[in-house]
Amino acid sequence: MATIIKPTVGNIQLAKEHLSNSNLVAVPTETVYGLAANALDVEAVLQIFKIKGRPLIDPLIVHVSSLEQAKLYCHMNPQAIALAQKYWPGPLTMVLPKKDNIPGVVTANLDSVAIRCPSNRVFRNLLESLPFPLAAPSANPFGYISPTKAIHVSESLGDKIDLILDDDDSEIGIESTIIDLRNGHQPAILRPGPLTQKAIEAEFNLKLTTPQQVVESKSAPSPGLLKSHYSPSKPLDIVKLTEIEAMITKDTLKESAFILNKRPVKLSQSVQNIFWLSESGEMEEIAKNLYALLRNVDKMDYQRIIVETIKAESVGIALMDRLTRASER
Ligand code: AMP
Ligand code: MG
């Protein structure tokens, strides 16, 4: 059974030794908890796929401690450098032409690599102590809800790994924004995330190709952006608040769990099958709480989960992206 360890100097050293010996360690990041391995070690990387049950055609994100380290593993263009200088360390992943030192197993044999420099202090301390980058997808069984607490990792992968570095709740709570920058002149958003398309477009005075356009043009394949993902074991539906109110009234047997954006004013708090993601509807708070609440509710006896529609603006775009995938069966 995995040991959950606090990020003391000694424990970071322990994690470092573990990773240097081809083992995996679950690590905190500002987005969600990751399952990390030496990205240059084929055997260790294969373990990630095995433990998660992740198909080998789904490429991994490589994590580095700096822009300088990123340059060792991919070919940066001026646009990528500008984005890295603005948003790294942080929740931005860039897809760029890879260098030969990144093994094919990491990138599903694509000639590009997804690379990110994270901001979580503990993860950075670990990365800075290592002579190699870390491949790290979310630390959950493939397709299930991503973990935002050490205990989430222990609940679903605890019998398959040794160490979980615990740094409390993930600060952001959803996965990074992924941008395809192989063509620096026409960057494309592959996965919406905490860093919004609007923010990037305003900062750099450009227009990004949207995930929808990417799918339609088929020009920039991004394997792994599956329709069904991030899913609880119970069926999940996304419903407007006005309709939810009617559903709550009808659901006399309390078979459904209702997850609202914010604390309801109208409903009595004693209704035990009603949950909320934030006090006042603030998007960052919703993002931070979403996966933990979905996991909690998924463990309860309800037969289905009804989530209130989230307004598709700013981080809400990424949240609706994850919820839509969670609702696919
Ligand atoms: P995650 O599932 O959070 O580990 O994110 C990894 C995702 O990044 C994959 O599922 C792909 O959609 C995307 N990705 C990773 N590497 C590449 C790549 N070389 N080209 C395009 N997309 C990639
Ligand atoms: Mg994942």
Side-chain angles (χ1 to χ4, degrees):
M1 197 61 197
T3 315
I4 297 182
I5 53 175
K6 289 286 174 193
T8 59
V9 174
N11 282 339
I12 290 183
Q13 177 65 25
L14 185 67
K16 176 186 168 182
E17 284 162 16
H18 222 65
L19 289 161
S20 303
N21 289 322
S22 303
N23 294 307
L24 309 191
V25 176
V27 294
T29 92
E30 69 275 23
T31 58
V32 300
Y33 273 73
L35 183 59
N38 176 353
L40 310 182
D41 180 335
V42 173
E43 289 310 313
V45 171
L46 280 170
Q47 281 301 311
I48 293 182
F49 288 95
K50 190 169 166 212
I51 285 174
K52 278 183 60 83
R54 179 173 173 124
L56 287 162
I57 53 158
D58 192 354
L60 305 177
I61 297 173
V62 171
H63 296 78
V64 291
S65 61
S66 66
L67 173 56
E68 288 319 302
Q69 196 190 10
K71 286 178 184 167
L72 301 175
Y73 304 109
C74 63
H75 298 279
M76 289 260 171
N77 50 46
Q79 292 80 1
I81 289 174
L83 275 151
Q85 282 169 340
K86 173 72 192 167
Y87 298 115
W88 280 1
L92 171 70
T93 299
M94 295 196 270
V95 172
L96 289 161
K98 84 174 192 71
K99 291 194 173 169
D100 288 343
N101 47 11
I102 295 289
V105 63
V106 171
T107 65
N109 285 325
L110 297 170
D111 50 16
S112 57
V113 62
I115 200 146
R116 178 167 102 84
C117 174
S119 68
N120 175 277
R121 199 55 253 173
V122 173
F123 193 16
R124 291 186 62 72
N125 284 347
L126 184 60
L127 281 167
E128 283 162 8
S129 77
L130 293 166
F132 47 79
L134 292 173
S138 52
N140 55 295
F142 183 69
Y144 193 62
I145 308 162
S146 298
T148 57
K149 298 171 189 282
I151 188 77
H152 293 162
V153 182
S154 147
E155 281 167 2
S156 54
L157 298 179
D159 56 344
K160 299 194 173 82
I161 58 175
D162 300 326
L163 291 180
I164 304 170
L165 253 183
D166 180 3
D167 188 35
D168 298 329
D169 295 2
S170 303
E171 228 175 285
I172 296 175
I174 56 164
E175 303 78 4
S176 63
T177 304
I178 305 181
I179 301 192
D180 183 353
L181 270 150
R182 286 173 301 168
N183 174 356
H185 299 288
Q186 190 41 68
I189 294 240
L190 298 180
R191 177 172 73 187
L195 178 60
T196 65
Q197 176 172 352
K198 222 171 153 182
I200 299 167
E201 289 181 341
E203 177 70 31
F204 290 96
N205 191 25
L206 53 78
K207 197 90 197 104
L208 294 169
T209 305
T210 62
Q212 197 54 41
Q213 289 166 330
V214 171
V215 171
E216 281 162 11
S217 73
K218 295 199 174 95
S219 59
S222 185
L225 291 182
L226 303 177
K227 250 181 135 184
S228 169
H229 213 58
Y230 315 107
S231 309
S233 61
K234 314 276 170 65
L236 180 150
D237 290 300
I238 310 166
V239 177
K240 286 200 203 102
L241 184 59
T242 46
E243 290 163 38
I244 286 192
E245 283 160 356
M247 289 171 88
I248 290 174
T249 316
K250 272 194 222 141
D251 182 42
T252 48
L253 293 176
K254 307 231 181 310
E255 287 180 335
S256 306
F258 296 95
I259 298 185
L260 309 180
N261 290 346
K262 60 179 178 186
R263 178 190 285 277
V265 271
K266 273 195 260 168
L267 300 162
S268 120
Q269 260 173 265
S270 63
V271 186
Q272 86 267 20
N273 58 335
I274 298 175
F275 306 84
W276 47 91
L277 291 161
S278 70
E279 283 302 309
S280 60
E282 205 233 339
M283 222 44 114
E284 276 70 28
E285 194 186 344
I286 293 177
K288 189 166 176 168
N289 292 330
L290 179 65
Y291 290 153
L293 186 55
L294 282 177
R295 280 175 174 261
N296 271 342
V297 166
D298 199 29
K299 277 193 268 183
M300 298 176 185
D301 280 337
Y302 301 108
Q303 292 182 14
R304 67 189 74 81
I305 303 172
I306 312 290
V307 186
E308 180 188 349
T309 308
I310 296 174
K311 200 167 177 191
E313 60 178 43
S314 86
V315 185
I317 296 171
L319 295 171
M320 279 303 282
D321 167 75
R322 306 303 189 273
L323 282 177
T324 307
R325 291 177 209 274
S327 72
E328 289 283 339
R329 292 275 120 191

